[in-house]
């Protein structure tokens, strides 16, 4: 609206709809109302305990004023590839609940983004909630955002990951998603294929970094350059793997 690209003249304020707010426990995870703010997420012990990557992302979004007003549903509906919560929701395999006068339905987060700021929702559908399934037991979660400065910046690269190494020493759960490196937030499918079934070592780290170059397609824009994003995305991916698997050496890579 401020930039003149929104032609509408009438707007409906949803802020007072209490049914769209709050975190609710389910047998298989949590349900988060679309109007739940990032401050609400930071204050919820269940989110911090079960979905620490989402809590980390919530704390990286803007300043306190933005966290007090910005909502999870709004971050999704904005559909920007730089949305901080989106890579986390993707690796958590969230389900987005949408409703219209025709009824309600769920859209898997991995199928939500059709293109740049283009969602798989009908024009009259409203995002009402996000459902998070229980994360895999013993899986380690990770989120990191790289921006121009430490706080209150739009991401140049954002990466969320979820990794579990089985008792046999091989990776049996691997999910990686990135923002700001393509027209949409995306899962790094080739990276995940490299990791699944592998024993984490230096060779796997190198193979994962190489695969990442096939998964992402960053561009030059006013916030950053393509080559910088490629290098940093690889560094953050390697940092995630070192954090998720303590047996790898902890040499700093970023």
């Amino acid at each position: 609206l401020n930039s003149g690209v929104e032609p509408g003249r009438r707007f409906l304020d949803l802020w007072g709809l209490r049914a769209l707010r709050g975190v609710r426990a389910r047998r298989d995870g949590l349900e988060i109302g679309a109007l739940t703010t990032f401050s609400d997420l930071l204050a919820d012990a269940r989110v911090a305990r079960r979905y620490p990557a989402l809590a980390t992302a919530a704390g990286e979004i803007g300043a306190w004023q933005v966290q007090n007003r910005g909502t999870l549903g709004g971050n999704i509906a904005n559909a920007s590839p730089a949305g901080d919560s989106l890579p986390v929701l993707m690796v958590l395999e969230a389900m987005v609940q949408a409703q219209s006068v025709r009824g309600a339905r769920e859209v898997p987060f991995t199928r939500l983004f059709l293109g740049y700021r283009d969602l798989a929702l009908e024009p009259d559908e409203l995002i009402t909630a996000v459902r998070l399934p229980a994360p895999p037991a013993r899986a380690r979660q990770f989120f990191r955002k790289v921006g121009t400065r430490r706080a209150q910046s739009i991401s140049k690269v954002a990466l969320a990951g979820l990794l579990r190494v089985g008792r046999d020493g091989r990776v049996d759960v691997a999910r990686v998603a990135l923002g700001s490196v393509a027209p949409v937030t995306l899962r790094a499918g080739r990276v995940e294929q490299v990791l699944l079934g592998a024993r984490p070592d230096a060779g796997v780290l190198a193979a994962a970094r190489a695969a990442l170059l096939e998964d992402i397609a960053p561009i030059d824009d006013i916030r950053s350059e393509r080559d910088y994003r490629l290098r940093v995305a690889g560094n953050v991916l390697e940092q995630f793997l070192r954090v998720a698997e303590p047996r790898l050496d902890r040499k700093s890579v970023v």
Side-chain angles (χ1 to χ4, degrees):
L1 178 64
N2 290 340
S3 60
V5 298
E6 172 55 63
R9 296 191 176 188
R10 295 184 177 182
F11 300 90
L12 183 63
D13 185 1
L14 305 178
W15 196 249
L17 298 181
R18 294 183 180 179
L20 300 186
R21 193 182 303 279
V23 180
R24 297 173 284 276
R26 297 170 53 105
R27 284 190 300 174
D28 60 343
L30 292 180
E31 182 178 286
I32 303 172
L35 288 183
T36 302
T37 67
F38 293 106
S39 293
D40 294 335
L41 294 177
L42 285 168
D44 196 292
R46 295 165 297 182
V47 173
R49 182 175 66 255
R50 303 185 66 184
Y51 307 95
L54 181 57
T56 300
E60 294 279 348
I61 294 176
W64 288 348
Q65 296 94 326
V66 175
Q67 294 167 11
N68 288 340
R69 185 72 181 185
T71 65
L72 189 62
N75 208 215
I76 296 169
N78 188 43
S80 167
D84 291 333
S85 71
L86 308 188
V88 178
L89 295 174
M90 192 163 281
V91 297
L92 292 175
E93 298 190 338
M95 299 291 289
V96 174
Q97 298 178 4
Q99 190 163 337
S100 71
V101 293
R102 298 181 305 280
R105 68 185 181 110
E106 286 193 331
V107 181
F109 209 82
T110 52
R111 291 164 47 191
L112 184 63
F113 302 101
L114 303 179
Y116 180 69
R117 293 187 182 273
D118 184 15
L119 293 175
L121 298 177
E122 298 299 324
D124 63 341
E125 284 187 310
L126 177 71
I127 296 173
T128 58
V130 175
R131 181 169 60 83
L132 297 179
R138 298 182 292 102
R140 292 178 178 266
Q141 300 177 29
F142 176 91
F143 174 79
R144 180 161 182 199
K145 164 185 173 176
V146 177
T148 303
R149 53 187 181 271
R150 181 64 184 86
Q152 299 188 51
S153 63
I154 298 175
S155 66
K156 296 173 181 284
V157 172
L159 184 145
L162 190 150
L163 191 84
R164 184 175 69 186
V165 177
R167 302 190 187 284
D168 63 353
R170 298 183 182 274
V171 175
D172 60 7
V173 177
R175 303 176 195 165
V176 179
L178 295 102
S180 293
V181 293
V184 297
T185 304
L186 53 79
R187 284 275 290 267
R190 292 178 177 85
V191 172
E192 293 175 358
Q193 290 174 11
V194 167
L195 295 174
L196 283 171
R199 294 182 183 275
D201 58 23
V204 170
L205 291 181
R209 288 191 68 138
L212 182 64
L213 301 182
E214 301 179 36
D215 278 322
I216 63 178
I219 60 172
D220 295 330
D221 61 18
I222 61 173
R223 290 196 300 276
S224 194
E225 297 177 345
R226 174 182 180 275
D227 290 345
Y228 176 85
R229 285 186 164 115
L230 286 171
R231 183 183 179 98
V232 170
N235 288 351
V236 177
L237 172 64
E238 188 167 339
Q239 183 188 37
F240 156 56
L241 296 176
R242 292 180 186 277
V243 169
E245 179 43 68
R247 283 172 291 188
L248 290 168
D249 71 74
R250 296 182 179 275
K251 179 182 177 182
S252 175
V253 296
V254 178

